[in-house]
Amino acid sequence: MRIERIELRLVQMPLIAPFETSFGVETIEEHIIVRVDGDGITGWGECVASEGPWYSYETNQTAWHVLRDFLIPLVWQNELHAASEFPQLAARVRGHRMAKAGLESALWDWFAKAQNKSLAQMFNALQTTQRDYVLPERITVGVSVGLQATPNALVEQVRAYRQEGYTRIKIKIKPGHDVELVRALRAEFPTLRLQVDANSAYRLRDADIFRAMDDYNLLLIEQPLSNDDIFQHIKLQRELQTALCLDESIHSVDDAEAALELGACRIINIKPGRVGGYTEAVKIHDLAAARNAPVWCGGMLESGIGRAGNVALASLPNFKLPGDLSASRRYYRQDIVEPEFEVDAEGKMRVPSGPGIGVEVSQKNLDAVTVSTQVFKRK
Ligand code: OSB
Ligand code: MG
């Protein structure tokens, strides 16, 4: 059982509509697709870094460098028996978690296929929360709505997503575009499951803005203060009724433990890319479960390759809140997997049950979005 070949592809996928957050606008999603081959089995993974260091310090160029020069050589130099062994090998490389997660996710697919198991089954076996947990066939998912030109445009966009089936909506906020957006949505949709995401755009002195949000029955407020911060979030959470949820500040199970124990948040957004892969993601899931803190699966506008693993992860028992896991067509005119991911009239998504990621990669669609490729082989 050996991997003999690894391929990296830089892909650029045009988004159906620009996605605007407090840190910028994205129109084309650039990611790295990782393919590993050996013993006649192909594993696929996705690195969710972006073109620029806006959401995190990683970019596709730093990820490519770290994959090529440090992470891929680890696969040649070590005998791997499971994808969950990879993080220990990669621990010598500080940070660069998206790069690590990109390769680890391809290894997860490869090992899962070698055992004829779905990723959901693999992650279920790894989790320690409920040993005999019966995986769901479908999970409730949500949609993350970018900043819109006007509050009215936001209301109409949310109405359209609700008509498509989504029952949980997250909106992006930034200074000057916050409470009044929540107010406008609440006036129109009084019982909608609604949450907001600031992507680190505020300071503690803006606490009044978040206090005002306490009146609108939000599920949570995501990452209001600085990326990497724990201390200021503790102070803010003390002032609020609404639960804070951390995204950018949580890079590891240790960060998650600190944040929950110190009261910096009550909920955690788990993004496998941000925490170095699915192995660490499951550890955070288990830690949060032991502390009675719900988690949910965040997204990085993944293609169907990354989405497949995220949906599998989100089928674990402590993913108590719907994730940012939307249908392929919410993002892209054409996904690179078949079948594409869909959301039904009840706002649910099917968890792939076939081996590994459980969807087929369309070579034609992948080739159409590939801008560069590099192949590495075992010597
Ligand atoms: O903060 O959750 C975020 C997308 C890119 C970078 C950061 C975030 C997001 C999203 C999109 O909110 C979630 C999705 O993939 O649908
Ligand atoms: Mg976020």
Side-chain angles (χ1 to χ4, degrees), residues 19 21 23 26 29 55 142-145 170 172 197-199 222-223 247-248 269 271 296-302 307 310 323-326 330-331:
F19 186 70
T21 66
F23 61 80
E26 305 211 39
E29 199 57 27
Y55 166 79
V143 58
S144 172
V145 187
K170 159 170 139 181
K172 294 291 186 178
D197 186 1
N199 287 111
E222 184 177 346
Q223 196 71 36
D247 173 351
E248 285 91 327
N269 166 338
K271 285 182 186 169
W296 55 281
C297 186
M300 291 296 290
L301 312 173
E302 286 88 348
R307 188 166 314 281
N310 289 356
D324 286 344
L325 302 164
S326 312
R330 176 257 175 268
Y331 308 95

Side-chain angles (χ1 to χ4, degrees), residues 134-150:
V134 179
L135 289 165
E137 281 173 25
R138 298 184 307 160
I139 55 171
T140 301
V141 296
V143 58
S144 172
V145 187
L147 288 156
Q148 305 291 314
T150 63

Side-chain angles (χ1 to χ4, degrees), residues 27 29 54 56 128-129 138 177 211 289 329 333 335 365 368:
T27 53
E29 199 57 27
W54 320 128
S56 83
T128 55
T129 302
R138 298 184 307 160
H177 303 266
R211 250 181 249 117
R329 70 154 191 263
R333 214 159 292 289
D335 206 338
N365 294 359

Side-chain angles (χ1 to χ4, degrees), residues 184-198:
L185 284 171
R186 268 290 171 251
E188 202 68 16
F189 312 110
T191 61
L192 173 66
R193 286 197 281 179
L194 180 65
Q195 60 194 60
V196 298
D197 186 1

